[in-house]
Structure formats: structure tokens, C-alpha cells
Amino acid sequence: MTRSTANLEDFHSYVLVTGANGGLGYSICCRLIDEFIRTRPSSHSLRLIITARDRAKGHDTIAKLKDHIFRTRKHHKTHGKTPLVAKIYLQAEQVDLCNLRSVQRLSHKLLHSIPKIDTIVLNAGTGGVTGIDWPLAIWTVLTNFLSALTYPTFKLSDVGERTPPQNSSTSAPGGEQEPVLGTVFCSNVFGHYMLVHAIAPLLSNSVGTPGRIVWISSLEAYPSAFSISDIQGLSSPSAYESSKRLTDVLALTSSLPSTQPYVRRFLPPPRDHRPPKQYVTHPGICATNIVPLPWILVFIMTAAFYVARWLGSPWHTVTSYKGACAPVWVALASQEELDSLEQNERAGKWGSEVNVQGEERAARTEVQGWGIGGEAGDNVGSLKRRRPKEVTDLTKEDRERFEELGRECWQSMERLRVEWDELLREDD
């Protein structure tokens, strides 16, 4: 790349969002577009790459996003605001994160078609929810309304759901049985993990600033749902919650010295640029279709979320557009701002929160075992009102256990990645 071309690329941002055809993913795209054209000068442009499992859904999403851009421009013109002249380019790609061959194909295409990726938002995933334990749901809502709607424990899920075979036969090369991959684990974590590793050169090509990996987690990342001995959650009745706890642990420990032997294999350090940085965010509580419900129950659920907000819950963003606040802020904030916050407050989990009026902002979220910044004695202050009642202040011992868990998780993920890289290579 010539110097003049590199200078042009400084003003052209490449952002990839997985699972963008609906729900939170689509809202992240809309908000990215809105914030980009509101805050960037006319000399800047955005190439927004969206992925979906189905090619037709990807094209439909592009059409909807074009309509969104048109309406946004029309709104600015009607209200006499500055014309929106920042350039937005849209690109749809197909990937099934539960199919590692599909991940390979997308990685290969991106490596040979674009010069860099400034930010990847790892949003795609599945809840694995099959229903609701209605007696428990009714009881917990009636006896502890805010907690039940913020940290639900009444969702039902399949246990041990697996992806279809990854190779052309159910046996691995050499006649051995192909290793099992959990559907929720692969969709929410491992598919993304393989994708990011494969396109690491693109994330290392940003000039002047490191690429950003933005993991989407949840308030339901319960420590009790996760076990390092069952990292895929195959034996867990809470595979979704297990995958989100794993997401938190991986992201928050990614810069610690004890995890670097594994993180550097996952993201080999570039020669001339800063290595990509990992962040973890969550959307608060949104009324999305991750839990399959009939329309009347969706209406009741949404109304209950508004009541929870009016009663003082900071996490009931309700709409996915407001829920997209934190991920988009992390994606577009200046690197100087993010580095300054991490220098003063250390790495943390950023969530979308709202006040009673529904005004949203990105806010720190307490994580069990990590606190708000990974240091015992942090001043949690008003954050205490947001935590589950069983959570206590971070101790030095909690922090040490969390770091050790992070090291073990990174070690296990790298071992699994290497194993699958070899299996896929041998089957070619």
C-alpha cells in the first residue's frame, strides 16, 4: 500500500457486524450509520460489512439499511440541519458461525477483497431457548419484580445440542470420531473466535490505532452457569448464560500478562502496528425475539420492561436501538478516549443503560470476580443498586481466581482452535 493510499484509508472506516439481519445486530448497524454521519466530517466514509446466515436475508438487510439512510438524510433536511454528506457503503456477506467451513470461506474472501477491518462487532448468536418455566416465572416476577426481569432464571433450554458434522464425514481424518461442538457455544463464541483469528491480519492493518474486537455479552453471564471443565456448556441447562460468562472472561483477561502466551497465538502481534484490542459490551434488557413468544406475551413483556425502567432499573433499554448504544460507542469512540478510560479505570464491561426518561448512555457494568475494573477495593458506589443481591464487593482472592479462570479459558480455546484448524486442513 502506497503512502497516499494509506492516507486515504485513514479516513475510510471498515466495520464488520455479524448477525445483522435483525434484532440487536440490525439496530447496531442503524446506530453505527447514524452516529458516523453525525460525528464524522465529509472527508470520512464508512464501509459497513454485515453478515447473515442466509444470502437473501443479507440482501434484504442492505435494502432496509439503505431506506434507513434515506430517512435519516430526509429528517436532517426537513429540520434544517447540516446535510449528511459522509459516505456510507454497504456490503453483505454470508456466514454460518456453526459451520466452520463457512467461517473459512468468509475469512478467505475478506482477506483477499478489503485492506483492513477497523472494528468487528461479534453480535451473532443464539439463545438456545425452548420455552419458559411459567410457574417459576410468575413466582419470581411477583416476589422480586426487578430482579426477575433483569436476571431471569426461568428460561428453558435444550441440553447438549450439537452442531452438524463439520467435515465431509462424521469421522475425523484417520478414522477417529470428529470432536463435538455445542451449538450455542459455536454460534456465540467459537465461530467468532475462529473468524477473528483468521482475519487477524486485517484487524492489524489500521494505521495509527489498533483494530477493535467488540464482543457482545449479556447481563445473564452468570458465574454459576459456567464451568471450565464444560467450556462448551454441553452439560449445562444454561448454555447461553455459560457462553456469555465465557465471553466476559476472555475479553476482560485478554490483556493480562498471564494470558499473553495464548492471546498472542490467537492474535499474532503485527510488526508495524499495535495489536487489536478486545472489548466487551452488553445491550441491557431489550425486547427482542431471542425468546420465542406469541405476540400478546411480547406486548406484556415489553410493558413490564417499561415499568421496570420507571421503577428505577438502569438496564431496561427495551428497544434494541437504545441497546445498541454501548457497542456503537465502543466501536466509534476515539482510541485516546478508550485508552484514557482504561488507564484510569482499567478494563471493564460496558453496558447500555437508560434513565427513567429513556435517555441512554454507555456505562460500566460490574462483573462477578472482576468488579468494575479488575481491582479489589474499587469504589463501586451507585453500581451496587444494579447488582444481583447475592453479589458482594470484589476481594483480592476473587480477582486472583478470575485471572486464573481467564488463563485456563484462553488455554482451552487455543487448544480447541488448533485442533480444529488441523482437522479442517486435513479434510481439504
Side-chain angles (χ1 to χ4, degrees), residues 132-303:
I132 300 292
D133 183 339
W134 287 109
L136 180 60
I138 294 169
W139 172 254
T140 55
V141 168
L142 291 177
T143 57
N144 199 342
F145 183 77
L146 284 181
S147 180
L149 293 183
T150 309
Y151 307 102
T153 57
F154 43 74
K155 293 186 293 183
L156 301 175
S157 305
D158 282 333
V159 177
E161 186 179 0
R162 306 175 181 189
T163 67
Q166 302 293 324
N167 284 312
S168 55
S169 67
T170 57
S171 296
E176 298 179 4
Q177 190 67 25
E178 181 181 284
V180 170
L181 279 178
T183 299
V184 175
F185 166 76
C186 199
S187 178
N188 295 2
V189 184
F190 192 60
H192 283 133
Y193 192 90
M194 295 289 282
L195 175 63
V196 169
H197 173 75
I199 63 171
L202 295 176
L203 287 161
S204 300
N205 275 353
S206 294
V207 178
T209 61
R212 297 179 195 174
I213 301 162
V214 183
W215 292 90
I216 303 296
S217 183
S218 168
L219 284 170
E220 299 173 48
Y222 310 139
S224 59
F226 178 76
S227 171
I228 187 62
S229 63
D230 181 27
I231 195 170
Q232 298 193 41
L234 284 166
S235 302
S236 173
S238 307
Y240 172 81
E241 291 83 354
S242 172
S243 73
K244 295 306 178 182
R245 176 63 173 181
L246 175 59
T247 297
D248 284 1
V249 172
L250 290 173
L252 291 173
T253 62
S254 62
S255 60
L256 298 181
S258 61
T259 64
Q260 291 315 292
Y262 311 107
V263 176
R264 287 174 181 157
R265 295 175 201 167
F266 172 57
L267 295 170
R271 291 182 179 179
D272 303 322
H273 305 301
R274 294 170 62 184
K277 298 198 67 172
Q278 301 186 56
Y279 301 91
V280 62
T281 68
H282 72 83
I285 307 294
C286 305
T288 64
N289 61 357
I290 195 168
V291 179
L293 294 172
W295 72 267
I296 185 63
L297 292 181
V298 172
F299 176 81
I300 294 171
M301 175 185 70
T302 304

